[in-house]
Amino acid sequence: MDFVYQFKRVFHNKTQRWLFVVGILAVTHLLFQSLLLPYGKALQSLLPDEEASIRDESSHPNLKPLTNFVMVRNPLTVNDSNFTSFNKFDGFVKPGDNSNAGKDVEVDSGMEVIDIDTKNGSTFEEKDQDDFIELVTDREVDNVEDFHKSFDVDTVNNGENSSILELAGEAKLGLPLKQMVKPKGKFPTENILEQHTSQLPKGFGDVEIASSVVPQLRTKVSNANSSADSVVLKTYLASSKNVSARIGTPGKKKMRCDMPPKSITLINEMESILVRHRRSSRSMRPRWSSVCDREILAARTEIEKAPIAMNDRELYAPLYRNVSMFKRSYELMDRILRVYVYKDGSKPIFHQPILKGLYASEGWFMKLMEGNKRFVVKDPRKAHLFYMPFSSRMLEHTLYVRNSHNRTNLRQHLKEYSEKIAAKYPFFNRTGGADHFLVACHDWAPYETRHHMEHCIKALCNADVTTGFKLGRDVSLPETYVRSARNPLRDLGGKPPSQRPILCFYAGNMHGYLRPILIKHWKDKDPDMKIFGPMPPGVASKMNYIQHMKSSKYCICPKGYEVNSPRIVEAIFYECVPVIISDNFVPPFFEVLNWDAFSVIIAESDIPNLKQILLSIPEEKYLQMQLAVKKAQRHFLWHAKPQKYDLFYMTIHSIWYNRVYQIKAR
């Protein structure tokens, strides 16, 4: 009883009670730790899946125990006999040695195999790197290097558990793996690894996969008595079910531009989206009101009440959605619009226009806008719109590292620019950039301007509704191929309809997935269908190309790598009715022009029926479209000194027009 009394007396003090509880917990913890030793992984297998850590020291005696572990999230129990054991065999790993057979090992997706070092604990940097092999994940690899630099191993989803490490054996696991093996120095590459491709998604094309190829991987490793060599294995296994890695024929992952789109928005659906966006703007409400905002809101009221234009001498009514509204909007723009051009940004990316070639549209607009005295103001407080004058072509030319497949630094450059003007001026933050606009013709512009310029009005040649182009806010910019900066109107015009014996014509490079399909169906198949591949280089070839367009009724304008094509403007330039074959492409100036009046838009899936579709158009309808092409031509021409309704004015008008219908009153 005396002992019990003394025991209770000890716990009268609160601190002593806590010390007793902590002591009990410590003893319990040590007891469980001791129980783990003889029973290996038995108790750890009872822990939650998320963070169970497994150390397998017995099967790899030559490796440091603290560096050879696996993080388990979805553990799968497999037999260790299926793994290739790391045992000494003439200084190399010998595949198929099952000396440790019969031991169960738990492996998981999310596994990372850490650095395997030498016995004496020296780091890899201190060792000879000649025999270094690094296995890295596809997150660290952007493209497939050539055979002497890397060997790419992709995943294949075959619906059943199969081998995951066939580089070293036949371990049975339902997990994916993508590794690159990089031989360094003089490491022999004959028997290291064969490339193989992953099972590609639908649309990638056929890829041959070897069904049962298990190559031998020979790697120098250290043993208990030597520290001359070291091997670092770094691997990431992504979580997945029933996916296996297999060795196959060399292959290259296809880009998005080499595959058909996953979704298709038809031209009539674009009409509905445009009307819906007109009714309900998603633009940010200005943080404070301004006189310029009230002027734009008043202009919208006037546009909507525009008097009906009857027999206008300047405008051909069938070309426009609503010729009266277009005429009134253009007049108001010409009278009240003021634009502030930011002086920030240095050449060559900013303020340096390119006036020749495929991306000339952004250069011509930059040149004419910065030199314009009618719209441009020096006081930004008087501006309705703000222009950010950068060249997407010069951005790519200046900053992109060739063959790097990494455009992050391009987007970062524009992000820093937008942050700079937002910090320096109050106007960007007032509307979230909704009254700011950019004009860019490079294919990468949608990516480069994402997020940090997301709410700005974007005039883009790559007007793809599946890559962020917003109908009713953004503007589809015509892609013009200017052959002469001094005379952009050279060779303008074409033959009359009666002197156009060719039904349709196309010639060009095999960019993207669509053009090879066009060639496959129609090249050398029909005398009325002049469908060719690339034309030979030289002046004579260019003249032959131009004469074909001038002599054809219809000019085929298929998409290339992206949805846009300069052939649309070329066809109009040579008075040939354009046939647009590009799903999800928003035609230029879609908010004001009626493209049904002067073009033929067909789905990509209708290429096999191309001739039948063209022949089904009545002659009278063709003559009306050909006349409309001639009337629309003025809207697609650059002039050294801008002219009314030309390409410069049409571009700035569409930017203005979209802002009028996107602005919200404070």
Side-chain angles (χ1 to χ4, degrees):
M1 293 295 295
D2 186 57
F3 174 78
V4 174
Y5 174 77
Q6 292 295 333
F7 186 78
K8 290 181 178 181
R9 187 177 180 182
V10 170
F11 292 100
H12 285 176
N13 189 298
K14 185 177 181 180
T15 303
Q16 292 174 334
R17 286 200 301 269
W18 275 109
L19 288 175
F20 179 77
V21 172
V22 171
I24 291 296
L25 290 175
V27 171
T28 304
H29 175 73
L30 292 175
L31 178 63
F32 271 92
Q33 287 293 318
S34 63
L35 288 175
L36 283 174
L37 295 178
Y39 293 98
K41 304 171 185 62
L43 285 177
Q44 277 190 319
S45 64
L46 301 177
L47 296 178
D49 291 349
E50 284 73 14
E51 297 297 338
S53 176
I54 298 176
R55 292 176 173 82
D56 184 10
E57 302 172 9
S58 59
S59 61
H60 306 296
N62 294 332
L63 305 181
K64 291 174 67 176
L66 290 179
T67 61
N68 183 25
F69 72 92
V70 176
M71 295 301 297
V72 174
R73 288 174 175 81
N74 299 305
L76 298 172
T77 303
V78 298
N79 194 288
D80 192 39
S81 61
N82 291 329
F83 286 98
T84 299
S85 303
F86 286 78
N87 288 299
K88 183 178 178 182
F89 179 73
D90 297 332
F92 291 87
V93 171
K94 180 181 179 182
D97 190 338
N98 300 327
S99 58
N100 294 303
K103 297 180 181 178
D104 288 338
V105 182
E106 292 184 9
V107 185
D108 169 298
S109 62
M111 178 179 90
E112 187 173 36
V113 181
I114 357 286
D115 293 350
I116 301 174
D117 212 339
T118 54
K119 180 184 177 183
N120 59 8
S122 60
T123 62
F124 169 74
E125 287 74 9
E126 299 170 339
K127 295 298 173 184
D128 183 7
Q129 300 184 18
D130 287 347
D131 302 316
F132 168 60
I133 296 179
E134 184 180 15
L135 305 178
V136 296
T137 68
D138 56 345
R139 293 186 182 181
E140 299 169 321
V141 180
D142 192 62
N143 66 312
V144 181
E145 299 178 18
D146 63 77
F147 179 80
H148 294 291
K149 293 182 180 179
S150 68
F151 303 86
D152 193 26
V153 181
D154 292 330
T155 63
V156 177
N157 186 355
N158 64 352
E160 62 177 344
N161 290 341
S162 57
S163 64
I164 190 170
L165 292 176
E166 288 182 354
L167 354 154
E170 299 177 350
K172 304 286 183 179
L173 281 178
L175 302 172
L177 172 66
K178 181 171 183 180
Q179 298 176 331
M180 175 186 282
V181 181
K182 289 186 177 180
K184 300 293 182 75
K186 301 179 181 180
F187 191 82
T189 61
E190 310 85 48
N191 297 318
I192 298 179
L193 199 58
E194 289 183 24
Q195 282 185 320
H196 77 283
T197 58
S198 63
Q199 178 180 345
L200 301 174
K202 185 176 181 181
F204 269 64
D206 297 329
V207 179
E208 182 182 354
I209 303 295
S211 60
S212 58
V213 182
V214 184
Q216 293 187 350
L217 176 64
R218 306 179 69 200
T219 309
K220 285 189 177 181
V221 294
S222 60
N223 54 51
N225 301 319
S226 173
S227 61
D229 301 304
S230 67
V231 177
V232 177
L233 301 177
K234 188 180 180 182
T235 261
Y236 183 86
L237 301 179
S239 179
S240 178
K241 291 183 179 180
N242 300 327
V243 181
S244 65
R246 284 193 178 183
I247 310 295
T249 55
K252 205 169 188 178
K253 186 180 290 185
K254 287 191 176 182
M255 306 291 288
R256 181 189 62 83
C257 59
D258 291 326
M259 298 182 293
K262 294 181 179 180
S263 62
I264 297 175
T265 304
L266 302 177
I267 195 74
N268 58 338
E269 295 174 330
M270 295 181 189
E271 306 268 0
S272 302
I273 295 172
L274 179 62
V275 172
R276 187 168 67 250
H277 287 181
R278 284 276 187 264
R279 286 199 303 262
S280 58
S281 170
R282 297 182 180 180
S283 177
M284 172 182 164
R285 197 178 301 277
R287 296 182 183 275
W288 63 86
S289 182
S290 72
V291 175
C292 293
D293 290 347
R294 292 191 288 271
E295 289 176 344
I296 293 178
L297 289 168
R300 182 165 70 189
T301 302
E302 290 194 45
I303 292 170
E304 291 173 346
K305 296 179 179 180
I308 299 175
M310 300 291 292
N311 301 320
D312 192 280
R313 294 183 179 182
E314 290 185 300
L315 301 174
Y316 184 62
L319 284 180
Y320 310 97
R321 294 177 175 275
N322 187 317
V323 65
S324 301
M325 292 180 67
F326 170 71
K327 182 178 177 65
R328 187 60 180 147
S329 175
Y330 189 95
E331 291 171 350
L332 291 170
M333 174 202 72
D334 197 41
R335 192 179 77 215
I336 70 174
L337 177 63
R338 297 296 178 263
V339 178
Y340 180 75
V341 180
Y342 284 108
K343 302 297 188 293
D344 304 79
S346 57
K347 295 181 179 181
I349 296 174
F350 297 86
H351 313 291
Q352 183 168 311
I354 298 177
L355 305 179
K356 184 180 178 181
L358 195 61
Y359 309 104
S361 288
E362 65 179 25
W364 275 91
F365 183 88
M366 183 190 299
K367 174 181 180 294
L368 298 176
M369 177 53 76
E370 290 195 311
N372 190 279
K373 295 181 180 180
R374 188 181 192 89
F375 296 128
V376 176
V377 293
K378 295 182 179 179
D379 186 355
R381 293 170 296 181
K382 298 179 180 179
H384 302 88
L385 293 169
F386 297 82
Y387 174 43
M388 298 176 286
F390 77 93
S391 168
S392 59
R393 174 67 182 95
M394 290 307 299
L395 179 68
E396 178 262 338
H397 179 75
T398 306
L399 299 182
Y400 179 66
V401 179
R402 188 179 179 87
N403 296 324
S404 68
H405 301 278
N406 189 342
R407 298 170 288 175
T408 306
N409 58 329
L410 282 69
R411 186 167 66 176
Q412 180 64 25
H413 190 82
L414 291 184
K415 180 177 182 291
E416 292 172 357
Y417 169 77
S418 62
E419 290 173 346
K420 177 182 177 181
I421 62 174
K424 185 176 180 180
Y425 307 94
F427 311 106
F428 193 95
N429 290 331
R430 187 182 81 91
T431 61
D435 55 356
H436 287 57
F437 72 93
L438 57 95
V439 179
C441 206
H442 197 279
D443 290 348
W444 297 350
Y447 170 82
E448 295 163 354
T449 57
R450 194 179 301 165
H451 304 312
H452 45 281
M453 296 180 177
E454 187 58 35
H455 302 294
C456 301
I457 302 171
K458 305 176 186 179
L460 303 172
C461 290
N462 187 5
D464 187 344
V465 292
T466 65
T467 58
F469 185 91
K470 304 298 183 188
L471 283 159
R473 185 198 69 187
D474 297 335
V475 175
S476 178
L477 179 68
E479 184 175 10
T480 57
Y481 186 85
V482 177
R483 290 181 167 83
S484 172
R486 293 184 178 181
N487 182 18
L489 305 182
R490 189 175 68 187
D491 300 320
L492 179 66
K495 297 178 180 180
S498 60
Q499 299 179 25
R500 291 178 177 265
I502 303 172
L503 177 63
C504 69
F505 166 71
Y506 168 79
N509 293 319
M510 295 297 99
H511 295 161
Y513 67 88
L514 186 66
R515 295 182 184 180
I517 297 175
L518 177 67
I519 295 298
K520 177 183 177 182
H521 278 92
W522 293 110
K523 184 180 180 182
D524 301 328
K525 298 294 178 62
D526 193 303
D528 294 331
M529 308 286 287
K530 302 296 183 181
I531 308 296
F532 308 103
M535 300 196 76
V539 177
S541 179
K542 290 180 181 178
M543 293 306 299
N544 187 30
Y545 177 85
I546 293 172
Q547 289 306 313
H548 269 81
M549 297 198 85
K550 288 176 177 283
S551 304
S552 300
K553 291 183 177 181
Y554 301 96
C555 291
I556 310 301
C557 308
K559 65 178 290 186
Y561 289 125
E562 301 296 343
V563 293
N564 50 301
S565 170
R567 283 170 180 76
I568 298 173
V569 176
E570 279 184 332
I572 297 172
F573 196 87
Y574 300 123
E575 299 173 5
C576 178
V577 177
V579 179
I580 303 173
I581 311 176
S582 180
D583 293 343
N584 300 319
F585 174 59
V586 181
F589 309 134
F590 186 69
E591 51 281 324
V592 296
L593 293 183
N594 173 27
W595 279 83
D596 288 338
F598 60 99
S599 71
V600 179
I601 300 176
I602 70 172
E604 295 174 7
S605 58
D606 285 332
I607 285 180
N609 306 319
L610 181 57
K611 183 178 181 181
Q612 181 181 352
I613 292 172
L614 297 180
L615 290 177
S616 67
I617 300 173
E619 183 68 15
E620 183 181 356
K621 173 66 175 175
Y622 164 72
L623 293 175
Q624 292 174 356
M625 287 194 296
Q626 209 273 337
L627 174 62
V629 167
K630 294 178 68 174
K631 296 292 186 180
Q633 192 181 69
R634 66 192 298 190
H635 298 320
F636 296 89
L637 303 178
W638 292 110
H639 299 89
K641 185 177 180 180
Q643 297 182 10
K644 191 176 183 180
Y645 297 122
D646 74 350
L647 186 44
F648 171 75
Y649 277 108
M650 287 296 289
T651 303
I652 192 64
H653 171 265
S654 283
I655 294 170
W656 147 269
Y657 192 69
N658 284 354
R659 178 57 181 160
V660 165
Y661 278 93
Q662 290 291 303
I663 192 171
K664 289 183 178 179
R666 180 64 188 171

